[in-house]
């Protein structure tokens, strides 16, 4: 019997509370609670409160039809959660999306690296290729990003604000994210010069949606819940409906990343298998993660208001001036920027769910008790609660821009967004996101580029699918001199277009003196 911590034996052993209800009907009830009656966050919070435990049993989607293994043990605290990262004790084969795996047809008939367990020999080969590729491309990240953001975001943002008075950030963010990841892996070539044209983000969105449909709810008021549930959550959506779009996506990458595919062949991999893995890495992992992460980052910074904006402006422009540009050394001096990025990843982790199967009987613990998980039982982590563990983070439900400054930097290891502890580097022998450092860097770069150009901004936001929909109402900038008076402004008022009370609050800090 294995343990996650030597302190487990000192804690009282308790039965894992919760149940799965009646066969079939229990799973259906939980699915409706998850999608419609309570919402995802309410679903897990209500059960944590009901059972008085951060470890409990319940059903999770998709449910009884297309995923019979929906009976899970849920972990929602920071102490028990890391068992999901211990590959000596848990098996993650086919568990990337949760309790189910979408059809391999979505990836050319291959089981890509994300769905392979660490014991599969091909896992180390594929992940090794990905890690070595990212290492070779590290010096291209900043130049490609900075050259992309001006045309893809700033120009259109300013134009739309000037003409319409508002600008939706999500499509601008999507265009930037896809442009960046494609250019990074495809020798700087823009996707608009391929068969994808300007439809790259929409093509990826459709391809990803068909795979994640069991976990999503569209929230369309004119569609009855039972009808949406029947269509999205009862049976897997068929691949043939996106086959043509996926083929365009695959062809664009295949024809544009010959050096990477040449390297794959040297490792004994087929070119098409390697390409499907990089399409998944670029489209599902990287672009898909940024699609959620970037609007969330802008949302929290926008909510925090002018006092945080003033501090960010000062830190960023001082560091860039001293370094003579946006460089890695300049970024390392921006401790507030780094803290803001990690606090966003803590509040809104881009990947909410992580799932694994116990290889053997395991003893785990939360803060108060120890529990026995039996061999072959499914373990399901809901990260947005684990990273808001009030016994780890003070004022855990609040966004605190300064949380990871100074001694607070020690808490970064509890930000589990990358399928591992943040202070650990990914290897070929684990399931941690190979691009975790890249995503954090891209978050820091977005903040830097925004506040190099703008002094402050005003937003509205609302919940949208798996993330947030953010709309810019105005921006204030010393460099935006051509803007009309209606666009330029000196004060910020926060308005939440969702009209519902926001349960998260902001921890404000006074501006630092000049």
């Amino acid at each position: 019997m294995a343990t996650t911590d030597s302190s487990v034996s000192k804690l009282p052993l308790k039965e894992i509370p919760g149940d799965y209800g009646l066969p079939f009907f229990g799973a259906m009830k939980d699915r409706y609670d998850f999608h419609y009656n309570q919402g995802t966050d309410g679903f897990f919070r209500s059960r944590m409160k009901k059972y008085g435990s951060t470890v409990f049993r319940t059903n999770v989607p998709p449910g009884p039809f297309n995923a019979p293994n929906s009976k899970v043990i849920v972990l929602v605290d920071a102490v028990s959660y890391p068992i999901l990262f211990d590959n000596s004790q848990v098996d993650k084969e086919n568990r990337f999306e949760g309790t189910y795996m979408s059809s391999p047809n979505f990836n050319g008939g291959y089981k890509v690296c994300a769905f392979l367990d660490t014991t599969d020999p091909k896992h180390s080969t594929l992940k090794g290729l990905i890690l070595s590729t990212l290492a070779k491309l590290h010096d291209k990240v900043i130049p490609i990003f900075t050259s992309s953001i001006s045309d893809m975001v700033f120009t259109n943002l300013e134009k739309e604000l000037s003409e319409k008075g508002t600008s939706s950030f999500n499509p601008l963010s999507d265009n930037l994210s896809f442009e960046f990841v494609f250019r990074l892996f495809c020798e700087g070539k823009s996707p608009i010069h391929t068969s994808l044209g300007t439809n790259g983000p929409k093509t990826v969105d459709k391809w990803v949606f068909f795979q994640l449909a069991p976990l999503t709810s569209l929230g369309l008021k004119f569609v009855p819940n039972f009808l949406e549930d029947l269509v999205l959550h009862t049976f897997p959506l068929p691949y043939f409906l996106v086959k043509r779009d996926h083929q365009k996506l695959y062809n664009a990458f295949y024809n544009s990343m010959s050096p990477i595919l040449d390297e794959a062949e040297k490792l004994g991999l087929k070119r098409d298998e390697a390409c499907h893995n990089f399409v998944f890495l670029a489209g599902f992992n990287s672009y898909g993660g940024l699609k959620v992460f970037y609007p969330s980052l802008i949302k929290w910074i926008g909510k925090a208001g002018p006092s945080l904006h003033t501090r960010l402006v000062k830190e960023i422009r001082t560091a860039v001036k001293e370094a003579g540009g946006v460089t890695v050394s300049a970024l390392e001096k921006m401790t507030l920027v780094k803290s803001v990025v990690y606090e966003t990843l803590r509040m809104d982790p881009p990947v909410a769910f992580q799932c694994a199967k116990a290889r053997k009987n395991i003893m785990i613990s939360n803060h108060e008790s120890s529990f026995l998980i039996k061999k072959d039982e499914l373990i399901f982590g809901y990260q947005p609660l684990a990273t808001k563990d009030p016994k780890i983070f003070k004022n855990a439900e609040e966004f605190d821009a300064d949380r990871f400054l100074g001694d607070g930097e020690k808490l970064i290891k509890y930000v589990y967004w990358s399928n591992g502890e943040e202070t650990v580097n990914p290897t070929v022998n684990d399931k941690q996101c190979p691009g975790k450092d890249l995503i954090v860097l891209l978050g820091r770069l977005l903040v830097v580029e925004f506040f190099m150009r703008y002094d402050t901004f005003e937003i509205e936001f609302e919940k949208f699918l798996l993330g947030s929909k953010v709309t810019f109402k105005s921006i204030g900038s010393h460099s935006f001199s051509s803007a009309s008076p209606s666009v330029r402004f000196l004060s910020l008022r926060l308005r939440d277009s969702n009209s519902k009370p926001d349960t998260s609050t902001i921890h404000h800090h006074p501006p630092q003196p000049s």
Side-chain angles (χ1 to χ4, degrees):
M1 195 176 293
T3 62
T4 59
D5 192 289
S6 60
S7 63
V8 171
S9 59
K10 301 176 183 178
L11 296 170
L13 178 64
K14 292 187 177 181
E15 281 288 325
I16 299 174
D19 59 67
Y20 305 113
L22 295 173
F24 182 83
F25 295 103
M28 286 299 294
K29 177 186 180 301
D30 286 342
R31 191 167 84 183
Y32 266 76
D33 283 347
F34 182 95
H35 287 298
Y36 309 112
N37 300 331
Q38 296 173 317
T40 306
D41 205 64
F43 176 87
F44 291 105
R45 287 182 186 273
S46 66
R47 282 151 181 77
M48 179 176 65
K49 182 178 180 180
K50 176 181 178 180
Y51 301 123
S53 175
T54 58
V55 179
F56 53 86
R57 297 180 184 275
T58 191
N59 301 286
V60 292
F65 294 106
N66 59 347
N69 296 321
S70 292
K71 298 178 179 180
V72 300
I73 297 167
V74 175
L75 312 178
V76 292
D77 65 87
V79 174
S80 66
Y81 205 87
I83 190 62
L84 291 162
F85 314 142
D86 188 345
N87 296 291
S88 68
Q89 303 193 66
V90 298
D91 179 342
K92 289 196 172 183
E93 184 175 10
N94 303 341
R95 305 296 176 194
F96 177 77
E97 293 161 321
T99 61
Y100 73 101
M101 185 184 83
S102 54
S103 170
N105 289 334
F106 287 96
N107 297 297
Y110 291 104
K111 186 183 289 188
V112 294
C113 185
F115 294 106
L116 297 176
D117 184 58
T118 52
T119 58
D120 191 314
K122 189 165 283 188
H123 177 273
S124 60
T125 302
L126 287 168
K127 191 168 182 182
L129 173 63
I130 292 169
L131 288 171
S132 64
T133 299
L134 290 171
K136 292 175 183 176
L137 297 174
H138 76 279
D139 61 337
K140 300 182 184 299
V141 172
I142 293 178
I144 291 177
F145 184 87
T146 54
S147 64
S148 297
I149 193 170
S150 181
D151 291 336
M152 306 302 293
V153 177
F154 297 147
T155 299
N156 291 308
L157 171 64
E158 294 165 9
K159 180 180 179 182
E160 289 178 5
L161 279 172
S162 182
E163 294 178 352
K164 305 176 184 178
T166 63
S167 177
S168 179
F169 176 66
N170 293 65
L172 303 182
S173 173
D174 290 352
N175 289 335
L176 168 66
S177 300
F178 187 72
E179 174 84 7
F180 170 82
V181 296
F182 192 92
R183 289 180 60 191
L184 182 67
F185 293 123
C186 297
E187 299 188 284
K189 184 177 182 179
S190 173
I192 64 175
H193 298 137
T194 71
S195 59
L196 290 170
T198 59
N199 293 321
K202 293 181 180 178
T203 301
V204 180
D205 288 346
K206 186 176 179 181
W207 173 65
V208 171
F209 173 76
F210 268 60
Q211 298 173 73
L212 290 182
L215 299 177
T216 61
S217 176
L218 299 177
L220 301 176
K221 295 181 180 180
F222 56 86
V223 177
N225 290 343
F226 78 89
L227 183 59
E228 180 190 89
D229 188 66
L230 178 67
V231 174
L232 292 186
H233 310 139
T234 304
F235 302 102
L237 296 182
Y239 169 69
F240 76 86
L241 294 176
V242 294
K243 182 177 180 180
R244 182 178 297 180
D245 298 281
H246 179 227
Q247 191 63 47
K248 281 186 179 182
L249 183 65
Y250 170 83
N251 290 342
F253 275 91
Y254 188 88
N255 295 327
S256 305
M257 53 183 297
S258 292
I260 295 176
L261 301 183
D262 292 342
E263 190 63 30
E265 281 192 312
K266 294 177 184 178
L267 297 174
L269 296 168
K270 296 178 181 179
R271 292 180 77 88
D272 66 328
E273 182 178 11
C275 186
H276 280 295
N277 271 272
F278 272 90
V279 170
F280 191 90
L281 173 68
F284 203 118
N285 291 121
S286 302
Y287 166 79
L290 291 171
K291 183 180 181 68
V292 177
F293 176 42
Y294 273 170
S296 180
L297 185 57
I298 294 299
K299 176 190 74 174
W300 288 113
I301 295 174
K303 284 188 69 176
S307 61
L308 175 60
H309 300 175
T310 299
R311 297 173 62 208
L312 287 169
V313 165
K314 180 180 179 181
E315 178 181 81
I316 291 167
R317 294 177 189 175
T318 299
V320 170
K321 182 178 180 180
E322 291 176 352
V326 179
T327 64
V328 173
S329 62
L331 290 171
E332 288 304 310
K333 295 179 181 179
M334 302 177 195
T335 55
L336 179 60
V337 172
K338 180 181 177 181
S339 181
V340 165
V341 168
Y342 275 119
E343 181 69 340
T344 298
L345 290 169
R346 185 189 74 85
M347 294 293 289
D348 292 330
V351 179
F353 315 119
Q354 287 159 349
C355 186
K357 182 172 71 172
R359 296 187 191 275
K360 51 191 174 183
N361 287 358
I362 304 171
M363 288 291 291
I364 67 164
S365 71
N366 59 11
H367 294 283
E368 300 88 11
S369 308
S370 59
F371 306 90
L372 171 63
I373 296 177
K374 296 181 180 180
K375 181 181 177 181
D376 293 332
E377 288 193 298
L378 286 183
I379 310 168
F380 191 93
Y382 181 58
Q383 191 178 160
L385 284 184
T387 54
K388 295 188 185 76
D389 188 331
K391 295 190 177 181
I392 298 295
F393 298 104
K394 183 180 179 181
N395 300 319
E397 299 291 334
E398 300 178 2
F399 179 88
D400 183 352
D402 288 10
R403 189 177 299 278
F404 299 107
L405 294 179
D407 288 341
E409 191 171 9
K410 297 175 183 178
L411 296 175
I412 286 178
K413 71 176 184 178
Y414 295 108
V415 182
Y416 299 136
W417 76 273
S418 66
N419 199 17
E421 292 187 5
E422 190 59 23
T423 51
V424 175
N425 292 320
T427 72
V428 297
N429 298 315
D430 62 34
K431 297 300 296 181
Q432 188 169 29
C433 174
K436 83 174 185 72
D437 292 335
L438 174 63
I439 298 300
V440 173
L441 173 59
L442 292 174
R444 294 161 77 176
L445 285 173
L446 180 71
V447 178
V448 168
E449 291 297 325
F450 252 90
F451 286 106
M452 282 295 292
R453 188 175 185 99
Y454 308 123
D455 296 325
T456 188
F457 56 87
E458 178 189 29
I459 61 165
E460 290 180 346
F461 66 93
E462 58 187 323
K463 187 175 181 181
F464 179 67
L465 292 178
L466 298 177
S468 299
K469 181 179 179 181
V470 175
T471 301
F472 277 86
K473 302 299 292 183
S474 48
I475 52 178
S477 171
H478 68 285
S479 62
F480 191 15
S481 57
S482 61
S484 66
S486 63
V487 176
R488 299 189 69 194
F489 75 107
L490 297 177
S491 63
L492 182 150
R493 301 183 310 279
L494 180 68
R495 298 191 295 270
D496 183 349
S497 62
N498 199 23
S499 72
K500 297 180 180 180
D502 193 331
T503 58
S504 299
T505 57
I506 300 298
H507 187 78
H508 291 283
H509 294 272
Q512 293 181 338
S514 301

